[in-house]
Amino acid sequence: LLFQFPEKCSGLSGMRGAFVTIYSSLAEISPSSTNRVDFKSKITKANCCFYIPVYRTYYDLPLLSFGMIHPLLLPKVVQNLIRVIRVQYNSLHEAFSHRDNHPSISALLTSVLHQMDMSTSSVDVDQCSSCSNTVQYLHLDSVFNDSIDRLVTGVEAPDCKEMSESYYGCRRTYTVLGSCLFYKDSLICNHLPHDDLLDIYLYLKYQHIMSVCCRETVQTTVIWREIFPTRQFYNLPEEEPFGYTEPVSARWVWLFVAYKHTILCSMLETNGYHTSSRQNSSSLVTHLSETTQKPSSLQN
């Protein structure tokens, strides 16, 4: 038993032997069926019904118990949650086997359960929106769209003012792969592939960053962390594509800058072999007031 949430809850851990047996039986019946929800169990405890979706992986068996949530929404909830954990920690085993990650994972689970409206067992609008991974677009006039697109493109360009190579007199350590811009919880500009955009959207959603920007006027917030993109580690094509392919040994970093009600999210790539993976795996969140000087360099 690698991880338990909440820590004092022993009901599900006491029944884990039964689910391990079912998991082993499923592996013999359909060994190729992994990385998806295979079945959902329903148990009754203290006159309360709990649904337990079983998500199969190659080595681990995560069990999640949800009370008062419609079973039709369970597969999407589990898939989104596991996707966010994998993006942050590379794999479920890597996430749960290191005790240093447990506080942040517990905070993530608390945030997800808070966003899920569990006051009713019916499929209502609030529950569907909480489970959805569909990014909402904010349609603007073409004039505004063109102006925003040019601004985001300028930030991504290698000759962008203080981010240019000539400014520091050396080559940039990171290459900007793309960016997206959110206003509150709506997307207004995107230069990223769909999988990368979805990774960012779910992270902002489940970490309550997007909801904070919707409710409050945020001062300057900078988030910097190494990530493991879904399309680079899991959504791989069956056949190797013809032509250029992105380097396998590269490392990827998110740089988020939130100001007032907008969030600019950039995805950067580097070879990154000069530092250990565990050293930069945690996120750096810095809140800066409008009167505080911005950091002279974000390379560190």
Side-chain angles (χ1 to χ4, degrees), residues 6-245:
E7 294 184 359
K8 297 182 180 180
C9 179
S10 60
L12 188 60
S13 62
M15 298 182 294
R16 66 183 185 272
F19 291 98
V20 171
T21 302
I22 298 176
Y23 173 81
S24 302
S25 302
L26 285 176
E28 297 176 357
I29 298 173
S30 56
S32 61
S33 177
T34 55
N35 296 325
R36 67 182 182 88
V37 177
D38 279 311
F39 69 94
K40 298 180 289 289
S41 298
K42 178 181 178 181
I43 62 174
T44 302
K45 183 179 181 181
N47 296 326
C48 296
C49 294
F50 295 89
Y51 297 96
I52 305 176
V54 176
Y55 187 93
R56 291 182 56 197
T57 62
Y58 291 101
Y59 303 106
D60 304 290
L61 178 62
L63 297 176
L64 298 93
S65 174
F66 294 91
M68 303 304 292
I69 178 176
H70 201 279
L72 293 176
L73 302 178
L74 284 179
K76 184 59 66 176
V77 173
V78 175
Q79 290 172 2
N80 290 344
L81 179 60
I82 290 180
R83 179 169 186 153
V84 173
I85 293 176
R86 280 175 169 173
V87 167
Q88 297 182 69
Y89 304 103
N90 189 18
S91 66
L92 295 178
H93 184 78
E94 183 74 15
F96 294 111
S97 60
H98 296 279
R99 292 188 175 272
D100 295 340
N101 300 331
H102 290 184
S104 59
I105 296 177
S106 298
L108 174 62
L109 294 174
T110 303
S111 174
V112 172
L113 294 178
H114 177 74
Q115 292 188 21
M116 294 298 302
D117 183 13
M118 298 188 179
S119 60
T120 176
S121 59
S122 61
V123 184
D124 57 8
V125 177
D126 294 334
Q127 278 196 346
C128 291
S129 60
S130 299
C131 300
S132 174
N133 56 5
T134 303
V135 183
Q136 178 181 354
Y137 282 83
L138 178 61
H139 297 283
L140 301 174
D141 187 84
S142 59
V143 177
F144 297 105
N145 280 333
D146 294 340
S147 300
I148 295 173
D149 187 77
R150 285 196 299 268
L151 290 174
V152 176
T153 303
V155 174
E156 298 169 347
D159 57 349
C160 177
K161 297 182 180 180
E162 296 182 1
M163 295 178 63
S164 64
E165 297 178 356
S166 59
Y167 183 86
Y168 291 103
C170 61
R171 295 188 61 183
R172 290 168 57 176
T173 307
Y174 296 89
T175 301
V176 180
L177 298 180
S179 303
C180 60
L181 183 64
F182 288 91
Y183 176 76
K184 294 186 176 181
D185 59 348
S186 300
L187 181 68
I188 57 179
C189 182
N190 178 43
H191 295 167
L192 288 168
H194 174 72
D195 282 332
D196 294 340
L197 174 64
L198 188 57
D199 289 343
I200 292 175
Y201 174 75
L202 292 176
Y203 178 85
L204 294 176
K205 180 179 178 180
Y206 286 154
Q207 295 289 356
H208 276 284
I209 301 171
M210 190 169 288
S211 61
V212 170
C213 289
C214 291
R215 298 192 312 265
E216 305 174 8
T217 301
V218 181
Q219 301 297 329
T220 306
T221 300
V222 179
I223 300 176
W224 170 276
R225 70 166 302 141
E226 182 179 7
I227 53 98
F228 305 89
T230 300
R231 68 182 179 91
Q232 295 287 351
F233 289 86
Y234 294 98
N235 291 354
L236 300 177
E238 296 181 358
E239 298 182 0
E240 184 175 352
F242 176 77
Y244 172 77
T245 57

